[in-house]
Amino acid sequence: MRVPSPSLAETVENVAPPRMNRRQAAKVRTRLKVLDAARALFAERGYDAATIRDIAKGAGMSTGAVFANFQDKAELFETVFSEEMEGLLNDMRTGAAGVEGRVTDRLTAALTAGYHRSLGHLPLMQAMIARSWFQPEDADQRSRAFVGPLVLWIQDLLQAAVGEGELRQDIDQTLLPRMIWDTFISNFRYAAYDGWGVEELTPHVRQQLDLILSSQMARQ
Amino acid sequence: MRVPSPSLAETVENVAPPRMNRRQAAKVRTRLKVLDAARALFAERGYDAATIRDIAKGAGMSTGAVFANFQDKAELFETVFSEEMEGLLNDMRTGAAGVEGRVTDRLTAALTAGYHRSLGHLPLMQAMIARSWFQPEDADQRSRAFVGPLVLWIQDLLQAAVGEGELRQDIDQTLLPRMIWDTFISNFRYAAYDGWGVEELTPHVRQQLDLILSSQMARQ
């Protein structure tokens, strides 16, 4: 069967990284520098106490240069937040991939990978959780778009375990994934204030998953 | 058997409210006014964005008058926080009192009473939870003294159910009460951003308690 070759233009558009001129490349570098400075300042002071002025200072540029890239502090924060959630999802996927065994094994591996990632910048994670509890309605609406895929991914993992006959057919597909996500997040408190590392968090979250899911197993 | 009567001095000391002169009474009124203004401003802006200056303004007094009663914003916040936790504990106790039935019934009644109380000032509750995620180590240490009794109370309730043969002897007495407390707190998110009232929160938390505790029942 003959597959038509893509045109050169199509190839470039679909495969090659976008070609940037110097000005565009400089803009990308500026954006990355601003995001680095923002991450550092949010982690140090939290959302409210961080100012665009100090973020600009941290990035070694003017506030004007920051505003050329981000509309306001909220947009800057949401960019940092969305990148963190994307990274978490990737790491959880990687953590669960290739783990055979029961659904609690796969979930424990995924959440452990998440802890591995986020403990590396725990104060930023704390600042993000704190902000999630006290933000305007519209900011919450936007942040759901970033957290949603993670909860959906947990839901898919549970659904697969239903398909394999491991979990009951009638599990609550809304409550369970949210409860597991909330549990995952709650545990950061032990990392923040009790100095727990992954070694303590992993058996803890496994025990929590066992509690939550043991009555939901199809065969006990 | 003859019980010795307490002396008049003992009676006054133990039972009667302390007698205050006018100056002391004024000081108490000032303190209450400052706390009211602080609660309102923390609820409106969150901890970081609330200033002593605006709290003083809200209370209709000078910042000096505020500082005569509270060392700093952190002390003001902790006073508000400790009063909220005390109130929650009282309401949970009252909620559970007289509920016969299973341990999940008693816990659901207690947590429902807690929701009843705190939904009345939900933004303040959100500000307190947000602050709990991003505060200095020493502030966290102090806040544990206020949250501790609530977690202990849940632990006692579970322990009683162990004593009555309802829960297994080998339940995890550290993990379970904390997990129930964290679950209680996490659910405020639905109140804050999905408009849930007690009618939605009560069946939700009951379902969560059933999940957490069903494998911990002595007789299934």
Side-chain angles (χ1 to χ4, degrees):
Chain A
M1 197 169 65
R2 202 191 140 139
V3 179
S5 322
S7 71
L8 181 62
E10 277 172 351
T11 306
V12 168
E13 202 178 333
N14 295 329
V15 178
R19 288 182 63 182
M20 290 187 286
N21 60 34
R22 259 187 226 186
R23 191 167 161 180
Q24 287 168 323
K27 197 170 163 70
V28 168
R29 277 198 303 276
T30 301
R31 206 179 145 84
L32 293 176
K33 263 203 275 184
V34 173
L35 285 171
D36 276 347
R39 256 183 236 108
L41 210 69
F42 288 140
E44 187 189 320
R45 300 195 196 158
Y47 179 82
D48 278 311
T51 64
I52 289 279
R53 199 176 140 163
D54 287 330
I55 290 170
K57 206 171 157 190
M61 56 185 71
S62 69
T63 55
V66 173
F67 282 123
N69 284 276
F70 299 94
Q71 201 186 320
D72 53 19
K73 188 167 72 168
E75 193 194 323
L76 202 39
F77 181 82
E78 279 162 27
T79 306
V80 168
F81 183 73
S82 70
E83 288 182 359
E84 179 66 18
M85 291 303 114
E86 260 180 53
L88 256 181
L89 180 54
N90 280 336
D91 288 3
M92 284 191 184
R93 276 205 179 106
T94 308
V99 174
E100 305 283 323
R102 296 164 63 88
V103 62
T104 42
D105 294 327
R106 292 197 293 281
L107 275 169
T108 302
L111 300 184
T112 296
Y115 288 132
H116 257 296
R117 174 196 176 76
S118 300
L119 290 189
H121 42 259
L122 180 57
L124 179 62
M125 197 68 193
Q126 289 176 247
M128 291 191 286
I129 300 172
R131 166 82 173 149
S132 78
W133 276 102
F134 203 83
Q135 62 186 348
E137 187 70 33
D138 58 332
D140 176 71
Q141 283 301 327
R142 287 191 302 272
S143 79
R144 288 178 186 222
F146 310 131
V147 177
L150 284 142
V151 178
L152 274 181
W153 183 79
I154 296 174
Q155 193 184 56
D156 286 346
L157 198 146
L158 295 175
Q159 188 53 53
V162 171
E164 287 159 21
E166 190 181 354
L167 289 176
R168 283 161 38 180
Q169 295 284 337
D170 65 347
I171 62 164
D172 190 321
Q173 305 252 7
T174 307
L175 183 137
L176 279 178
R178 286 249 31 143
M179 196 173 167
I180 290 168
W181 172 254
D182 287 342
T183 300
F184 170 71
I185 293 295
S186 292
N187 290 339
F188 278 103
R189 190 177 295 279
Y190 300 107
Y193 298 116
D194 296 292
W196 284 19
V198 174
E199 322 74 60
E200 287 88 14
L201 287 166
T202 298
H204 188 76
V205 82
R206 172 184 290 277
Q207 212 183 331
Q208 291 170 316
L209 289 168
D210 280 337
L211 283 169
I212 295 172
L213 292 176
S214 62
S215 63
Q216 306 300 299
M217 296 293 168
R219 300 177 290 247
Q220 298 210 33
Chain B
M1 196 168 66
R2 202 191 141 136
V3 179
S5 321
S7 71
L8 182 62
E10 277 172 348
T11 307
V12 169
E13 204 180 330
N14 295 328
V15 178
R19 286 185 63 182
M20 291 187 286
N21 61 31
R22 257 188 228 188
R23 194 170 158 174
Q24 288 168 323
K27 196 170 163 69
V28 168
R29 276 199 304 275
T30 302
R31 206 179 144 86
L32 292 176
K33 263 203 275 184
V34 173
L35 285 172
D36 277 346
R39 254 183 239 109
L41 210 67
F42 288 140
E44 188 189 320
R45 300 195 195 159
Y47 179 82
D48 278 311
T51 62
I52 290 279
R53 200 176 140 165
D54 287 331
I55 291 169
K57 205 171 156 190
M61 56 186 70
S62 68
T63 55
V66 174
F67 283 123
N69 285 277
F70 299 93
Q71 200 186 322
D72 53 19
K73 190 168 72 168
E75 193 193 323
L76 201 40
F77 180 82
E78 279 162 28
T79 307
V80 169
F81 183 73
S82 70
E83 288 182 358
E84 179 67 19
M85 292 302 116
E86 260 180 54
L88 256 182
L89 180 54
N90 280 337
D91 289 1
M92 284 191 185
R93 275 204 179 107
T94 308
V99 175
E100 305 283 323
R102 297 162 63 86
V103 62
T104 42
D105 295 327
R106 292 198 292 281
L107 275 170
T108 301
L111 300 184
T112 295
Y115 289 131
H116 257 297
R117 172 195 178 77
S118 299
L119 290 189
H121 42 260
L122 181 58
L124 179 62
M125 197 68 193
Q126 289 176 247
M128 291 192 286
I129 299 173
R131 167 83 172 148
S132 78
W133 277 101
F134 203 82
Q135 63 186 346
E137 186 69 35
D138 59 333
D140 175 72
Q141 283 301 328
R142 289 191 300 274
S143 80
R144 287 178 188 223
F146 310 131
V147 177
L150 285 142
V151 179
L152 274 181
W153 182 79
I154 296 173
Q155 192 184 58
D156 286 346
L157 199 145
L158 295 175
Q159 188 53 54
V162 171
E164 287 158 23
E166 190 182 353
L167 289 176
R168 283 160 39 179
Q169 296 284 335
D170 65 347
I171 63 164
D172 190 320
Q173 304 252 7
T174 307
L175 184 137
L176 279 179
R178 286 247 33 141
M179 196 172 166
I180 290 168
W181 173 254
D182 287 342
T183 299
F184 169 72
I185 294 294
S186 291
N187 290 340
F188 278 104
R189 188 178 297 279
Y190 300 106
Y193 298 115
D194 297 292
W196 284 20
V198 175
E199 322 73 59
E200 286 88 13
L201 287 167
T202 298
H204 187 77
V205 81
R206 172 184 289 277
Q207 212 183 332
Q208 291 170 316
L209 289 168
D210 280 337
L211 282 170
I212 294 171
L213 292 176
S214 62
S215 63
Q216 306 301 300
M217 295 294 167
R219 299 177 290 247
Q220 298 210 32

